[in-house]
Amino acid sequence: MTAKPIDFSIAVTDGNARAGTLRTRRSVIDTPVFMPVGTQGSVKGVRFEWLEDEIDARIILGNTYHLFLRPGTDAIRHFLGLHKFISWERSILTDSGGFQVFSLSERRKLTEEGVEFSSHLDGSPCFISPEVSMEIQSALGSEIVMVFDECPAGDAGHDATKISLELTARWAKRSRERFDELQAAGQDTGFLASEGLSGRQALFGIVQGAGHLDLRSESLEKTVEVGFDGYAIGGLSVGEEKSVMYDVLAHTAPQMPAGSPRYLMGVGTPEDMLTAIGHGVDMFDCVIPTRNGRTGSAFTSRGKINIRNAKFALDGAPLDPECECSVCARHSRGYLRHLYQAGEMAAATLISHHNLYFYASLMRAARIAIRQGRFSAFAADTIGAMSEIDVNGV
Ligand SMILES: [Zn+2]
């Protein structure tokens, strides 16, 4: 039997929730897992040492669209891949660029072949197709590559969504074919070869279908037909009602292949992630912890607080008295508020660090609860506690 690029095993299930282990050629990842987002080769405001040591991130995300535009594939190749360029030895998942092409670029022209667009940086003409996306992600050298898909608007109608998911299915097939050619042409890296992994990249498919449950089923069927190492749910948290997202998750996640990792792309809040874990999702990424960190918004076990609020000026308590991160061990809300008000960059850095630690701790607690067979009570208690006090200063 040919060795696989990744190994995924589920140790315990509790209802639909699963606790397991995802092994790549570079790291062993306990699931459910949150993957910090390193958009342009950096998790904004946070040093890699902190990600490794204290936050203990085993996998981060890189954005193909951003890295393709700057510094460009040639520069990444010159440095022998994204890991060496950014100096990160653990796993990386790269998205396909599709979502950013549709959300950031200007003058887009979508055809069967791919997407022509103008760079949001300098207006220069660019083109990404399934094949080009696979070539960029091959140069990046990520452990997990995503297929190139089209992401319709969250409130897209049934007909438009159906046309879109059929294009996504054809692109999934083309992504798979080009990916396989590139893998066959490449050299095995030999990472963990003794442990039965191929050393190659893994490819995940993406299920679309907006808020239409029948189309989610259809998209899932078409994606599984092509066959991938893991499966993602795309096109959520893109403007649809929260109840629609939860309905889609409840409908789709349990139907996804049980033996493969399930990844919910770009979601979300602690409540969204706990809800998704309850439906059987294993992997998450979202910019919220670092984006909120930069605006002074901190997650706590009692709800979100905004450090800009004047009531924190003389507050000697840490951001979250229950948090064990080094920011909470050392600094008061009053000091962090002062840094924010003074425009000190440390405010963004320290709050982003706390938020990423909070997300990592939430995933750790969820894994323990699943293993102890009490996930649904844990999720309800945690979500309940987070809405106990509304101290959001915004
Ligand atoms: Zn903390």
Side-chain angles (χ1 to χ4, degrees):
M1 200 179 107
T2 322
K4 294 182 298 184
I6 55 170
D7 178 66
F8 180 64
S9 63
I10 298 165
V12 179
T13 56
D14 177 13
N16 281 326
R18 305 123 60 92
T21 307
L22 172 63
R23 201 158 54 85
T24 76
R25 61 191 182 181
R26 286 181 182 267
S27 49
V28 176
I29 302 150
D30 295 323
T31 61
V33 63
F34 176 78
M35 304 181 281
V37 179
T39 308
Q40 317 209 48
S42 159
V43 177
K44 288 186 196 299
V46 179
R47 292 189 62 160
F48 286 119
E49 287 87 338
W50 304 336
L51 285 169
E52 287 163 355
D53 298 340
E54 191 179 323
I55 296 161
D56 194 22
R58 311 282 177 87
I59 180 168
I60 61 173
L61 197 119
N63 282 124
T64 292
Y65 171 85
H66 288 287
L67 295 165
F68 168 62
L69 293 183
R70 185 175 55 193
T73 316
D74 289 345
I76 301 280
R77 281 207 182 93
H78 172 81
F79 284 97
L80 304 176
L82 186 57
H83 294 84
K84 286 203 164 62
F85 182 51
I86 69 173
S87 196
W88 171 258
E89 295 293 325
R90 299 180 182 179
S91 298
I92 298 176
L93 180 150
T94 44
D95 65 3
S96 68
F99 182 74
Q100 271 86 19
V101 167
F102 293 109
S103 59
L104 289 180
S105 66
E106 291 154 12
R107 293 192 292 278
R108 277 183 309 279
K109 191 178 162 216
L110 173 71
T111 65
E112 182 68 32
E113 187 53 26
V115 192
E116 288 170 35
F117 60 95
S118 300
S119 159
H120 75 284
L121 296 176
D122 59 9
S124 61
C126 302
F127 175 72
I128 297 187
S129 64
E131 289 78 14
V132 171
S133 175
M134 295 305 106
E135 286 155 18
I136 302 167
Q137 293 183 76
S138 168
L140 293 172
S142 51
E143 278 55 57
I144 299 175
V145 169
M146 300 302 300
V147 297
F148 191 67
D149 62 330
E150 197 211 351
C151 178
D155 58 357
H158 196 275
D159 289 354
T161 305
K162 188 167 168 64
I163 290 167
S164 168
L165 79 82
E166 284 167 357
L167 178 65
T168 285
R170 292 192 293 277
W171 282 2
K173 223 173 271 177
R174 282 168 52 191
S175 295
R176 173 90 255 177
E177 282 163 14
R178 184 64 185 133
F179 176 86
D180 288 342
E181 284 171 11
L182 289 163
Q183 296 301 304
Q187 296 290 314
D188 279 0
T189 59
F191 276 109
L192 295 182
S194 62
E195 294 182 45
L197 296 183
S198 67
R200 293 182 174 175
Q201 295 178 289
L203 182 63
F204 280 21
I206 304 175
V207 177
Q208 290 287 357
H212 309 283
L213 301 186
D214 59 323
L215 296 182
R216 286 280 171 183
S217 296
E218 189 179 329
S219 178
L220 174 60
E221 200 177 306
K222 288 177 190 294
T223 311
V224 171
E225 209 176 280
V226 180
F228 294 99
D229 301 303
Y231 296 88
I233 301 176
L236 288 181
S237 204
V238 290
E240 78 283 4
E241 293 289 329
K242 191 152 273 212
S243 62
V244 172
M245 172 163 85
Y246 288 175
D247 286 347
V248 169
L249 284 173
H251 173 81
T252 313
Q255 292 189 61
M256 295 165 81
S260 304
R262 298 166 176 165
Y263 164 32
L264 176 56
M265 303 183 78
V267 178
T269 65
E271 182 183 2
D272 295 341
M273 295 192 299
L274 291 175
T275 303
I277 291 169
H279 295 307
V281 172
D282 309 301
M283 304 166 70
F284 302 91
D285 80 281
C286 193
V287 296
I288 284 181
T290 43
R291 181 174 289 168
N292 282 17
R294 295 196 298 284
T295 59
S297 176
F299 288 93
T300 84
S301 45
R302 292 289 174 269
K304 225 165 41 171
I305 64 171
N306 200 303
I307 209 67
R308 285 176 293 177
N309 195 316
K311 71 182 175 189
F312 297 126
L314 301 178
D315 192 336
L319 287 174
D320 181 1
E322 291 180 31
C323 179
E324 294 177 345
C325 88
S326 57
V327 176
C328 289
R330 185 159 189 159
H331 299 302
S332 66
R333 292 170 173 177
Y335 174 64
L336 293 168
R337 178 173 190 277
H338 158 70
L339 291 181
Y340 192 89
Q341 295 302 106
E344 288 290 329
M345 68 172 90
T349 285
L350 294 171
I351 300 171
S352 295
H353 178 114
H354 159 81
N355 282 346
L356 286 172
Y357 188 94
F358 182 87
Y359 267 53
S361 300
L362 184 70
M363 291 294 116
R364 198 177 309 120
R367 294 194 294 266
I368 292 169
I370 294 167
R371 285 172 184 269
Q372 294 176 344
R374 54 176 183 85
F375 178 75
S376 98
F378 162 80
D381 290 351
T382 305
I383 291 168
M386 282 179 193
S387 54
E388 256 175 38
I389 49 166
D390 181 11
V391 283
N392 198 333
V394 178

